[in-house]
Amino acid sequence: MDYTIFVINISPSRWDNYKDDDRFTRWVGCNGKEDLSLDFVNDKYHFYWNCNDDLRMNIAGCSESHLSCIKHIYENKIDNAIIIEDDTLVDFEKLSFLPKLNKVVYLGGDFHPVKLKDKNKFEKPVFDKDLSVRTIDTKSFLISGAFGYLIPHWNLASDLLEQNGKKRRAIDVEFKNLQKKGIWNQFVYPPIVKLDMKTAMTGFTYNDKRYKLKDDLEFY
C-alpha cells in the first residue's frame, strides 16, 4: 500500500535526516516563537498555570503544525496519510505488513495513566510482540505524544480537527480526549514509528525535566 508520509519540520538540520528519501514529504510546521504572538497563544490555548511563555509558544507551535497538516489532508482528500514528527524513525518493514484500516491509528507514542496524578506509580501494559492493531483500553491507559499516526481515509481527519473546550490544549492532550470519547481507539503494537532519542533530546520537550522519559519507548 502506498502512503504519503508527512514529516512535520521547522529545522533544516533535522530535515537532513529525511530529505534524500522520497518516501517522506516535508511539512513546514509552525515555529511558535517566530510565527505566533503570545497574545494569540494565550487567547487560543489553555495551559497549566506554571507553564512559562517559551513553553507555551512551543506547545502552540507544535499543535498548529499538526492541525495545519491534518487540515491539508482533509481539504485535499488525501487517503493513507501518515504524520510523523521530525525526531522519529519509521520501520518500513513493519509498515509493509500493516493491514488495510478504516480508523485513525497510532503508529507510535507513549503509554500514560488515565489520570495524571497516577504518573509516578503507573506501570505500562505489556503485550505480545506480534505486530497487530490493538484497542486502547481507556480504563487502564491512554497514549500520549504524536510521534506517528495514520489517517487511512481523508474524511477521518475531521475528527482530529475538533477541540475539547473553548480553548485548545496541547495536541497530544486533544488526542487523548478523542481516545476518552472512543473516537480514536486503535494503535499498532509494536510501534512502527519510534523516537530517534539522539535527535529527540535536542528538542524543547524531552530535554525538559517535566517530560523526562523513563525508557526509550521501544514499546511505547
Side-chain angles (χ1 to χ4, degrees):
M1 190 181 299
D2 291 329
Y3 297 97
T4 302
I5 305 178
F6 292 100
V7 183
I8 293 178
N9 171 258
I10 62 172
S11 165
S13 62
R14 284 194 174 193
W15 176 241
D16 286 345
N17 297 327
Y18 306 92
K19 68 179 183 181
D20 295 327
D21 190 333
D22 61 10
R23 294 174 294 186
F24 297 108
T25 299
R26 187 185 188 196
W27 184 261
V28 179
C30 172
N31 185 327
K33 291 182 180 179
E34 296 180 4
D35 300 333
L36 302 176
S37 70
L38 186 59
D39 286 342
F40 169 88
V41 170
N42 286 330
D43 182 57
K44 299 296 184 182
Y45 283 86
H46 175 83
F47 305 94
Y48 290 115
W49 65 271
N50 59 346
C51 185
N52 63 45
D53 289 348
D54 280 352
L55 188 55
R56 289 177 183 229
M57 304 291 273
N58 285 327
I59 289 173
C62 178
S63 294
E64 292 293 313
S65 299
H66 280 270
L67 292 170
S68 65
C69 189
I70 294 167
K71 185 178 180 181
H72 173 79
I73 290 167
Y74 181 76
E75 292 180 342
N76 291 277
K77 299 182 178 181
I78 301 172
D79 291 336
N80 297 320
I82 293 174
I83 298 177
I84 67 172
E85 297 183 334
D86 62 4
D87 54 359
T88 62
L89 302 170
V90 178
D91 187 330
F92 282 98
E93 183 176 357
K94 289 180 181 176
L95 185 61
S96 66
F97 286 99
L98 195 62
K100 186 175 181 179
L101 300 169
N102 58 12
K103 290 185 176 182
V104 176
V105 60
Y106 273 105
L107 301 180
D110 186 16
F111 290 139
H112 271 225
V114 178
K115 297 181 179 180
L116 187 61
K117 68 180 180 64
D118 297 331
K119 184 174 182 178
N120 291 332
K121 62 180 181 181
F122 175 65
E123 293 187 10
K124 293 187 177 186
V126 178
F127 303 93
D128 64 73
K129 302 303 190 291
D130 293 331
L131 185 68
S132 179
V133 178
R134 305 167 193 259
T135 300
I136 300 170
D137 179 5
T138 55
K139 293 182 179 179
S140 303
F141 68 92
L142 297 171
I143 296 178
S144 185
F147 312 157
Y149 48 100
L150 165 65
I151 305 173
H153 190 275
W154 65 269
N155 196 41
L156 298 171
S158 62
D159 289 334
L160 278 61
L161 294 172
E162 293 183 3
Q163 71 183 60
N164 189 56
K166 294 182 179 179
K167 292 186 177 184
R168 281 197 177 276
R169 294 180 181 267
I171 194 68
D172 61 322
V173 177
E174 295 287 354
F175 286 172
K176 283 191 284 188
N177 285 324
L178 292 178
Q179 295 169 49
K180 293 176 182 177
K181 293 178 180 179
I183 295 172
W184 188 346
N185 65 352
Q186 293 187 331
F187 67 107
V188 176
Y189 187 95
I192 290 175
V193 177
K194 298 185 294 185
L195 281 181
D196 173 5
M197 295 305 298
K198 182 178 179 180
T199 303
M201 293 303 292
T202 66
F204 78 88
T205 48
Y206 300 114
N207 63 356
D208 187 309
K209 63 182 181 180
R210 287 169 291 188
Y211 292 86
K212 186 173 180 59
L213 300 175
K214 294 183 178 180
D215 56 58
D216 61 3
L217 300 186
E218 179 72 16
F219 299 108
Y220 286 79

